[in-house]
Amino acid sequence: LCGVPWKFTPLCYICIDMKNRNSMAQNQLNKLVWLVDTINRARFITFEDINRKWIDNKDLNNGDELLKRTFHKWKNAIFDIFGLQIDCEKRGEYRYYIANMDDLHNGSVEKWLLSTCSVSNSLIGCRAIKDRIVLENVPSGLHYLDSVIDAMKRNCVVDIKYYNYMRGDVHEYALMPLCVKLFKQRWYMVGKACDSDFVGIYCLDRMHDLKVTDKSFDYPEDFSPQNYFDGFFGVFHDLDTDVETVVLKASASQANYIRDLPLMQDGAQVETERCEDYSIFEIRVRPTYDFMQELLWHRDEIEVLKPAWLRDEMVEIIDCMRYKYGCAD
């Protein structure tokens, strides 16, 4: 190890200590998420019932009971990390509950972290049936995510080698990393060119190399990630496409999916009509390439009613597909 047989160098101690700290931090986070899940599922629960469930969880408790002082320490940590307030009834059974679960905003880091760790906790106890759990293969963009986030924290320029699908070649760019976005299991970085005002979106799994430089930059005060993606579905960024009200007619079965998994969040999607056979949805969105791809994913279960230009665009795409398959009139 480290070139010194049977002997730890100071560097080895540091590496092992950092690894142990990361493992301990993840384990502690899993415990906090477990507590949130336990209270949220019960809605109202006494400390005695929480402790009973904790004892039953052999994957996290290490054979220890949950002490009252540890519970209150976790409760405070949950508020600091997720912004969730765990309160207690002032009378009766003195049950605990989450007072502000609705405060987790759509698309927030806190919500994503809570959801991700919750799934992780569920999988921790599944080693005995791991062959019966089939997971999706995620592209390799995570390899550079830590470096991008580190550069964002320190406002450092990154040098990347990026593969262009259209040209089939690799180009080098010096970029100011402004924000990152997760879309359909892929991480994207919004970067501003160092030698111009151009702001582009770069998929992490198309990067052939990324280096965080010592060159710092001033984060532009007029840039807001929320405003940058406002009205957009996905990551395709085209300001020439205005925000419009898109009217969709969905079959009764497909409408269930659109209700449970809205195409747009934060009130941008409204169901205006619901019948036995179909529903009508109005969506405020910029109908870009990503959005049209999503509509095509729903096949013939969705029909664009308005605007007329988008309906015509969908017809043209469908006609091109018919031609490709030799079905042209």
Side-chain angles (χ1 to χ4, degrees):
L1 183 64
C2 295
V4 185
W6 305 105
K7 183 178 181 180
F8 287 113
T9 67
L11 179 59
C12 292
Y13 283 117
I14 293 173
C15 293
I16 293 173
D17 182 56
M18 289 176 64
K19 183 177 181 180
N20 289 338
R21 287 185 185 183
N22 290 337
S23 177
M24 290 171 60
Q26 181 61 54
N27 188 47
Q28 184 65 19
L29 187 59
N30 288 339
K31 293 175 181 178
L32 301 183
V33 172
W34 173 88
L35 182 57
V36 171
D37 277 343
T38 299
I39 298 176
N40 189 45
R41 290 178 184 180
R43 295 190 63 188
F44 292 88
I45 187 171
T46 64
F47 175 76
E48 289 72 24
D49 285 337
I50 293 173
N51 190 34
R52 193 174 298 114
K53 291 179 179 293
W54 173 251
I55 293 172
D56 290 340
N57 192 319
K58 305 300 182 184
D59 296 301
L60 287 176
N61 64 27
N62 296 323
D64 299 325
E65 290 191 16
L66 179 59
L67 301 178
K68 202 68 174 283
R69 65 174 179 270
T70 301
F71 168 76
H72 286 291
K73 188 184 298 183
W74 290 1
K75 187 163 70 76
N76 294 333
I78 286 169
F79 181 77
D80 291 338
I81 296 173
F82 301 113
L84 295 177
Q85 180 70 48
I86 298 175
D87 288 337
C88 182
E89 295 176 313
K90 303 303 181 185
R91 59 182 181 277
E93 299 180 70
Y94 293 96
R95 298 174 301 175
Y96 288 92
Y97 63 97
I98 299 176
N100 63 333
M101 194 68 185
D102 291 339
D103 284 355
L104 283 182
H105 302 298
N106 289 322
S108 68
V109 172
E110 293 85 358
K111 181 176 182 179
W112 181 82
L113 183 62
L114 180 61
S115 175
T116 302
C117 291
S118 179
V119 172
S120 176
N121 273 355
S122 298
L123 295 178
I124 284 174
C126 295
R127 293 187 181 94
I129 57 170
K130 63 181 182 179
D131 293 337
R132 293 162 61 183
I133 300 174
V134 182
L135 301 177
E136 182 178 358
N137 184 31
V138 178
S140 59
L142 287 175
H143 180 69
Y144 295 117
L145 183 59
D146 283 346
S147 297
V148 172
I149 291 176
D150 175 56
M152 288 168 55
K153 288 179 181 177
R154 299 189 288 122
N155 283 342
C156 289
V157 171
V158 295
D159 289 336
I160 69 169
K161 293 181 180 178
Y162 193 72
Y163 180 75
N164 186 292
Y165 281 156
M166 299 296 291
R167 296 192 301 264
D169 56 8
V170 176
H171 279 255
E172 298 184 11
Y173 301 97
L175 302 168
M176 309 173 195
L178 303 181
C179 69
V180 292
K181 180 175 182 177
L182 179 64
F183 179 65
K184 292 189 179 298
Q185 299 282 24
R186 278 183 161 89
W187 283 100
Y188 295 83
M189 180 189 79
V190 177
K192 183 178 184 298
C194 291
D195 55 359
S196 70
D197 291 330
F198 176 77
V199 176
I201 301 175
Y202 304 85
C203 187
L204 267 59
D205 64 298
R206 286 166 58 186
M207 294 181 181
H208 286 205
D209 190 29
L210 183 146
K211 290 184 174 62
V212 180
T213 71
D214 294 329
K215 183 180 179 181
S216 62
F217 67 92
D218 294 325
Y219 187 84
E221 294 182 0
D222 58 347
F223 180 84
S224 164
Q226 289 73 29
N227 292 339
Y228 185 79
F229 287 108
D230 184 42
F232 288 101
F233 177 90
V235 294
F236 193 85
H237 196 268
D238 180 13
L239 290 176
D240 292 332
T241 304
D242 296 328
V243 175
E244 297 189 51
T245 298
V246 175
V247 182
L248 302 176
K249 181 179 180 180
S251 66
S253 59
Q254 202 70 13
N256 293 322
Y257 291 100
I258 299 176
R259 289 188 203 102
D260 292 342
L261 297 171
L263 295 174
M264 295 295 286
Q265 305 285 349
D266 299 330
Q269 173 178 304
V270 179
E271 186 173 3
T272 59
E273 185 179 345
R274 184 171 182 176
C275 306
E276 183 178 348
D277 298 326
Y278 67 88
S279 286
I280 302 295
F281 293 91
E282 292 188 359
I283 302 173
R284 293 290 293 170
V285 65
R286 298 178 190 265
T288 59
Y289 177 82
D290 282 338
F291 184 70
M292 284 186 274
Q293 273 197 322
E294 183 67 15
L295 296 181
L296 290 167
W297 182 85
H298 291 273
R299 299 175 39 168
D300 59 340
E301 299 292 328
I302 280 185
E303 177 187 358
V304 176
L305 300 182
K306 295 180 182 178
W309 74 264
L310 180 59
R311 182 180 175 88
D312 292 342
E313 183 80 13
M314 298 296 289
V315 169
E316 186 176 338
I317 293 172
I318 294 168
D319 284 344
C320 288
M321 292 174 67
R322 285 171 54 84
Y323 180 81
K324 289 279 188 181
Y325 284 93
C327 300
D329 293 332

